[in-house]
Amino acid sequence: MSDEPNLLGDYVRARRERVTPEQVGIPVLGVRRVPGLRREEVAMLAGISADYYLRLEQGRDRNPSVQVLESLARVLRLDDDATAYLLRLGAAKPRRPRRRPRKETVPPGIAKLVAALPLPALVEGRYFDVLAANALATALSPRLAAGGNRLRDVFLDPAEQALYPDWEDAATGMVAGFRQSVGTDTDDPRFIELVGELSLASPRFSELWARHDVEACEGTPKTIDHPQVGALRLNRERLAVAGTTGQTLVVYHPDPGTNADKLTLLASTVQSSAPLS
């Protein structure tokens, strides 16, 4: 058995435990001792042998066919993002030496764009590190500043948590987006350090990470309870930065006719606090 992390087996087991027999049409008779579906039930529904499915969960077979993976995705009720993630986990990969930490650098043109935008804007790295941010983003949250990390702040900083009336949904989505962003690239020291730290410091992060949820990081409306200007409803757009590995330009903007006055007020506080040249 390989000494590599059993990403595929861990994933299908976690998802199996979250599908109920009722969801797949299996009658429940008596007391069930396991959460979700049994291994043999998944195997039966996917059209594979129970022994082969056990090999997959235990990591004794790590490269099943696309047909098998798609059958498992159907049984485990995975959406398109989660199915794509499952297919990536099952793809054959050459063994690589352990890598050194990589420094993420924002392209100069993107850094200038972030500084010039009249909206809160920042650049996130692959592991949700804040690589660059403009003054309006930092006014939206002091944690939105170069050197911060979005996951660490959302799970460990009470002031950041207080900004989100729907903190539980925000935290759940962020963990699912983080897993999507990282994918199978789990040997990076930065990833290992961050997940280890959060797993020890935040029981809720540990619980969410164990669920193996996967969700693409896309644009979505966000409500922020700002201590100076009150409730802000902003659209958060995420745009991939070309020429980088996983960097994302994040921009917050209001719908026309809504919250623009609050952003203007926030911008005025930034201007009033700027040092005189």
Side-chain angles (χ1 to χ4, degrees):
M1 188 178 297
S2 172
D3 59 356
E4 291 290 306
N6 182 20
L7 300 179
L8 175 62
D10 291 343
Y11 185 63
V12 296
R13 182 176 64 252
R15 304 314 298 180
R16 168 174 66 84
E17 293 175 350
R18 299 190 62 198
V19 179
T20 66
E22 292 85 358
Q23 288 177 305
V24 294
I26 295 177
V28 177
L29 303 173
V31 178
R32 294 176 65 91
R33 298 181 179 178
V34 296
L37 298 177
R38 299 186 177 103
R39 292 190 182 96
E40 58 269 22
E41 292 170 341
V42 174
M44 175 190 68
L45 293 168
I48 60 179
S49 72
D51 178 68
Y52 182 62
Y53 179 77
L54 178 61
R55 290 172 59 85
L56 292 178
E57 275 205 7
Q58 293 180 339
R60 291 184 287 135
D61 190 319
R62 302 193 178 206
N63 302 118
S65 69
V66 171
Q67 290 80 6
V68 167
L69 291 172
E70 289 178 339
S71 293
L72 289 173
R74 172 180 51 80
V75 174
L76 300 175
R77 303 173 68 85
L78 303 183
D79 61 17
D80 291 344
D81 291 333
T83 298
Y85 178 75
L86 177 65
L87 292 172
R88 286 159 59 194
L89 292 181
K93 299 177 290 294
R95 187 181 179 91
R96 298 177 303 182
R98 192 177 183 87
R99 297 179 305 176
R100 296 179 179 178
R102 296 175 298 180
K103 180 176 176 59
E104 293 185 290
T105 303
V106 178
I110 295 297
K112 293 177 183 178
L113 174 62
V114 167
L117 282 173
L119 295 165
L122 63 142
V123 176
E124 281 183 2
R126 190 175 188 187
Y127 303 122
F128 292 7
D129 294 308
V130 180
L131 305 179
N134 63 18
L136 195 49
T138 305
L140 194 63
S141 166
R143 274 71 58 186
L144 294 179
N149 178 272
R150 300 300 298 132
L151 270 177
R152 183 185 290 113
D153 292 336
V154 164
F155 281 94
L156 302 184
D157 193 315
E160 186 70 14
Q161 294 170 3
L163 292 178
Y164 298 96
D166 55 351
W167 179 84
E168 182 64 32
D169 288 343
T172 300
M174 185 168 286
V175 172
F178 181 64
R179 188 177 287 279
Q180 165 76 7
S181 176
V182 173
T184 62
D185 198 12
T186 58
D187 62 342
D188 190 288
R190 176 64 180 143
F191 164 81
I192 296 170
E193 172 194 29
L194 185 59
V195 171
E197 176 191 359
L198 289 171
S199 296
L200 291 174
S202 171
R204 187 56 182 148
F205 173 85
S206 185
E207 292 168 1
L208 291 173
W209 187 248
R211 285 169 45 164
H212 288 255
D213 290 340
V214 176
E215 181 179 301
C217 292
E218 298 176 343
T220 183
K222 288 290 181 184
T223 298
I224 297 173
D225 188 7
H226 196 275
Q228 291 176 285
V229 300
L232 275 167
R233 183 72 170 173
L234 300 173
N235 300 297
R236 186 191 64 191
E237 306 298 340
R238 305 179 65 93
L239 307 171
V241 177
T244 69
T245 303
Q247 289 186 27
T248 305
L249 172 64
V250 182
V251 181
Y252 292 85
H253 65 98
D255 286 335
T258 65
N259 292 148
D261 55 338
K262 292 184 178 181
L263 271 185
T264 300
L265 178 59
L266 200 58
S268 69
T269 66
V270 171
Q271 293 168 358
S272 63
S273 61
L276 297 176
S277 58

